[in-house]
């Protein structure tokens, strides 16, 4: 009988690389589901902050009666900031990368991960749009990499887009699907193509909404209300752009404009706001003003 190379059941210990918006959320869901999670970040303070952030989110869950105190305590006990990349990856059964959306950065990081992670480890990237095959090429064995695209905030959003590239081992894809389920997510499987399913479609709406603000068709708030009340979206495309980060959306639009076509060309208003440092919720202003994390 041939041995299945990768299995979600064998994942006990996870390394999360990049401890920002997505990294801390991925560590959160892994730890709640019973995995030990080591967080590595080039900025050691970010890894420590990420652990505090998960604890604060779980505290909020306990306050709201959604999480019991024992689950919170056990999850927090499974988290740790890693000293360095070797410390994070050394004992990992699964490595998930969530560093900024730059292909060369991810390729350089995975060159090191390849040496440091055990051969049995499933390797995943949380890229929102970059070609997974190009990132996987940094590994001696690209077949063990898949895309696991989580959504922000990870502990709340149910979707995980599992991205299958041409050289991926079928058991790596199946393991990623099962792991996402084990972590409380609903996985979908998508072929490796620019923007996958979610970013490609989501961006069409987001960019068109920005063009409509630019052309004075309606205010940001009214456009968002149109999609909420007219189409049943839980949040409008401009508020969502503020949550994701205008810089993040600009990066994806630039990439998709080259990879798919000019329909994704970033509107001038998006470029202007990013150049002015108006990046959305994280900077306090985007299409809305944000104070203490709340839309004004
Ligand atoms: P972020 O800027 O919040 O966090 C990235 C972290 O990576 C930072 O703490 C940074 O210090 C760290 N970092 C930078 N270089 C590093 C390196 N070489 N090694 C280790 N850490 C390093 O970014 P984010 O929003 O969490 O995005 C991370 C990835 O997730 C991107 O690929 C992004 O496209 C994707 N993503 C983002 C969202 C979102 O809504 N923000 C949603 C889905 C996917």
């Amino acid at each position: 009988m041939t041995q299945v190379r990768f299995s979600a059941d064998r994942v006990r210990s996870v390394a999360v690389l990049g401890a920002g918006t997505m990294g801390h959320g991925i560590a959160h869901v892994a730890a709640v589901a019973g995995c030990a999670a080591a967080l590595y970040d080039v900025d050691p303070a970010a890894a420590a902050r990420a652990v505090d952030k998960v604890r604060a989110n779980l505290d909020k869950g306990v306050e709201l009666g959604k999480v019991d105190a024992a689950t919170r305590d056990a999850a927090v006990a499974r988290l740790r900031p890693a000293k360095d990349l070797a410390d994070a990856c050394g004992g990992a059964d699964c490595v998930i990368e969530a560093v900024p959306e730059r292909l060369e950065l991810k390729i350089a990081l995975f060159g090191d991960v390849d040496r440091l992670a055990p051969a049995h480890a499933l390797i995943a990237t949380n890229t929102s749009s970059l070609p997974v095959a190009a990132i996987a090429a940094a590994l001696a064995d690209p077949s063990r990499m898949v895309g696991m695209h989580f959504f922000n905030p990870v502990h709340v959003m149910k979707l995980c887009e599992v991205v299958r590239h041409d050289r991926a081992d079928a058991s790596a894809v199946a393991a990623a699907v099962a792991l996402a389920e084990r972590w409380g997510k609903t996985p979908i499987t998508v072929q490796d193509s620019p923007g996958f399913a979610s970013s490609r479609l989501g961006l069409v709406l987001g960019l068109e909404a920005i063009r409509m603000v630019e052309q004075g068709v309606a205010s940001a708030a009214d456009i968002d209300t149109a999609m909420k009340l007219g189409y049943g979206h839980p949040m409008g495309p401009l508020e969502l752009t503020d949550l994701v980060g205008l810089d993040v959306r600009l990066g994806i639009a630039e990439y998709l404009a080259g990879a798919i076509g000019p329909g994704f060309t970033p509107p001038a208003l998006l470029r202007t706001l990013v150049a002015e440092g108006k990046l959305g919720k994280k900077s306090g202003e985007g299409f809305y003003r944000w104070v203490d994390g709340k839309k004004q």
Side-chain angles (χ1 to χ4, degrees):
M1 209 171 74
T2 50
Q3 166 95 23
V4 173
R5 281 187 65 203
F6 300 99
S7 147
D9 296 341
R10 281 184 231 138
V11 175
R12 297 270 169 266
S13 177
V14 179
V16 181
L17 312 182
T21 307
M22 298 305 289
H24 87 273
I26 295 167
H28 176 139
V29 296
V32 167
C35 294
L39 281 144
Y40 167 70
D41 200 289
V42 272
D43 172 7
R49 266 199 314 274
V51 174
D52 292 343
K53 192 105 186 276
V54 176
R55 187 183 294 116
N57 285 338
L58 285 166
D59 282 344
K60 206 180 287 169
V62 171
E63 261 168 51
L64 296 171
K66 293 182 175 173
V67 178
D68 63 66
T71 302
R72 172 198 58 198
D73 295 345
V76 170
R78 292 185 196 104
L79 292 172
R80 68 179 180 95
K83 287 199 299 282
D84 52 32
L85 189 61
D87 176 36
C89 293
D93 306 309
C94 173
V95 176
I96 302 192
E97 165 274 313
V99 303
E101 189 77 338
R102 294 204 309 273
L103 184 59
E104 71 290 352
L105 175 65
K106 291 181 193 278
I107 287 176
L109 181 64
F110 278 117
D112 294 333
V113 169
D114 200 36
R115 287 185 291 107
L116 299 170
H120 75 271
L122 176 69
I123 312 278
T125 171
N126 183 52
T127 178
S128 354
S129 63
L130 298 172
V132 175
I135 302 171
L139 301 175
D141 173 14
S143 73
R144 64 173 171 153
M145 179 177 280
V146 292
M148 284 184 83
H149 180 203
F150 292 90
F151 289 75
N152 180 23
V154 181
H155 67 290
V156 175
M157 300 296 279
K158 296 301 277 183
L159 182 63
C160 177
E161 199 171 30
V162 173
V163 182
R164 176 183 48 215
H165 63 95
D166 286 345
R167 295 170 75 187
D169 188 292
S171 75
V173 177
V177 166
L179 195 59
E181 281 168 350
R182 210 179 118 195
W183 291 356
K185 302 301 167 201
T186 302
I188 61 166
T189 310
V190 182
Q191 195 58 34
D192 189 19
S193 62
F196 317 131
S198 58
S199 299
R200 180 169 172 176
L201 213 46
L203 213 65
V204 169
L205 204 59
L207 294 179
E208 198 56 27
I210 296 169
R211 283 187 202 105
M212 287 163 67
V213 173
E214 209 170 55
Q215 293 163 11
V217 173
S219 67
D222 282 351
I223 291 168
D224 279 350
T225 299
M227 297 317 291
K228 284 189 282 189
L229 301 189
Y231 285 78
H233 290 198
M235 184 185 292
L238 295 159
E239 183 177 352
L240 183 60
T241 299
D242 270 10
L243 284 194
V244 170
L246 274 65
D247 52 336
V248 174
R249 284 218 134 169
L250 175 60
I252 298 173
E254 280 171 339
Y255 166 64
L256 292 185
I260 300 180
F264 288 92
T265 302
L269 177 60
L270 180 59
R271 288 191 187 287
T272 305
L273 291 172
V274 170
E276 289 171 352
K278 295 176 180 164
L279 307 181
K281 185 178 177 183
K282 62 186 168 188
S283 72
E285 189 175 349
F287 292 97
Y288 297 91
R289 281 182 189 280
W290 297 82
V291 176
D292 296 331
K294 298 229 168 358
K295 182 161 75 74
Q296 299 303 291

